[in-house]
Amino acid sequence: ETGVTQSPTHLIKTRGQQVTLRCSSQSGHNTVSWYQQALGQGPQFIFQYYREEENGRGNFPPRFSGLQFPNYSSELNVNALELDDSALYLCASSSFGKVGELFFGEGSRLTVL
Amino acid sequence: KQEVTQIPAALSVPEGENLVLNCSFTDSAIYNLQWFRQDPGKGLTSLLLIQSSQREQTSGRLNASLDKSSGRSTLYIAASQPGDSATYLCAVPRRISGTYKYIFGTGTRLKVLA
């Protein structure tokens, strides 16, 4: 098991609502990345946080935003939810600048109705 | 632009078979390649990390090979067991803003029949 924890594990929202997902990084890691995994697809990079700032973003609109806190934990916020936002959201922990292993949490399954 | 593909998309085999999963990438200038396992609805568990300077990496019944020049990696699973049933994903890092993001394939969904 990795030391990366995510909450909540499952949640259901309706279109137009907002959601916040949380992630605690592994001890010793200072960087948190968020990925979206639609059913039957590989994870897609949303963005990464380092030193409490966004450090790189994938092809996702601004309604996807995040935060990183001094203890390196992170939040992913999605506004104005759309049906296509239904997916497994994965948080990954790593050390900035090191292209070593990536450690994932168990994910948060979001269903948008 | 780096693209990662995996074939086959799904595979069903009887218990005990040796099998090979394939991963291809378009840009051979990679730092490493990582293989992950994902159980249904769960997160990703790292299986093997193979550095660009390596040709093989082994862990138990798993062996990963890397051929950068041809843009390919294979994951070999020996003596498959029903507990190996899962989706297997490969990923390569791409440099962004001083650090790295990972590009994933779509995975191979493996079912090992008892």
Side-chain angles (χ1 to χ4, degrees):
Chain A
E1 275 194 18
T2 71
V4 182
T5 58
Q6 292 188 243
S7 63
T9 54
H10 295 86
L11 68 167
I12 300 174
K13 294 285 187 178
T14 56
R15 276 186 303 175
Q17 285 189 313
Q18 177 265 344
V19 68
T20 297
L21 308 178
R22 296 176 177 83
C23 171
S24 294
S25 63
Q26 181 161 302
S27 177
H29 285 174
N30 56 15
T31 303
V32 173
S33 303
W34 288 92
Y35 289 78
Q36 180 196 65
Q37 187 179 23
L39 202 61
Q41 301 297 314
Q44 299 289 318
F45 176 75
I46 302 173
F47 46 50
Q48 183 180 91
Y49 274 81
Y50 170 65
R51 288 185 174 175
E52 302 176 42
E53 291 189 357
E54 184 180 296
N55 181 69
R57 171 180 277 261
N59 190 25
F60 283 82
R63 59 190 185 83
F64 286 77
S65 63
L67 288 171
Q68 186 181 34
F69 301 99
N71 66 354
Y72 308 122
S73 66
S74 177
E75 287 182 356
L76 165 65
N77 299 291
V78 187
N79 293 322
L81 284 168
E82 301 176 359
L83 297 179
D84 284 349
D85 295 333
S86 295
L88 181 67
Y89 288 85
L90 295 162
C91 166
S93 170
S94 61
S95 294
F96 185 82
K98 289 189 178 181
V99 63
E101 290 192 46
L102 200 60
F103 296 92
F104 282 86
E106 289 294 300
S108 294
R109 169 71 65 186
L110 171 65
T111 301
V112 182
L113 302 177
Chain B
K1 180 185 175 185
Q2 178 71 275
E3 294 183 1
V4 180
T5 56
Q6 292 185 247
I7 54 170
L11 187 60
S12 185
V13 299
E15 182 177 7
E17 274 205 7
N18 301 324
L19 50 99
V20 174
L21 309 182
N22 296 291
C23 172
S24 299
F25 45 93
T26 53
D27 183 351
S28 62
I30 61 170
Y31 300 97
N32 60 46
L33 185 144
Q34 198 163 351
W35 282 93
F36 292 90
R37 169 185 171 138
Q38 186 176 33
D39 292 301
K42 299 292 187 180
L44 277 63
T45 300
S46 178
L47 296 174
L48 288 165
L49 171 68
I50 183 164
Q51 301 291 349
S52 62
S53 58
Q54 296 177 308
R55 292 192 63 87
E56 281 190 10
Q57 189 69 259
T58 298
S59 176
R61 295 183 293 109
L62 304 179
N63 175 276
S65 67
L66 178 64
D67 184 344
K68 282 178 54 179
S69 61
S70 65
R72 292 182 185 177
S73 177
T74 60
L75 179 66
Y76 176 82
I77 303 177
S80 59
Q81 303 170 358
D84 295 330
S85 298
T87 296
Y88 291 81
L89 295 144
C90 64
V92 294
R94 182 179 179 189
R95 194 167 180 87
I96 55 161
S97 305
T99 188
Y100 303 90
K101 69 173 185 180
Y102 280 74
I103 310 296
F104 284 84
T106 53
T108 294
R109 192 169 62 254
L110 173 65
K111 187 168 185 179
V112 181
L113 305 170

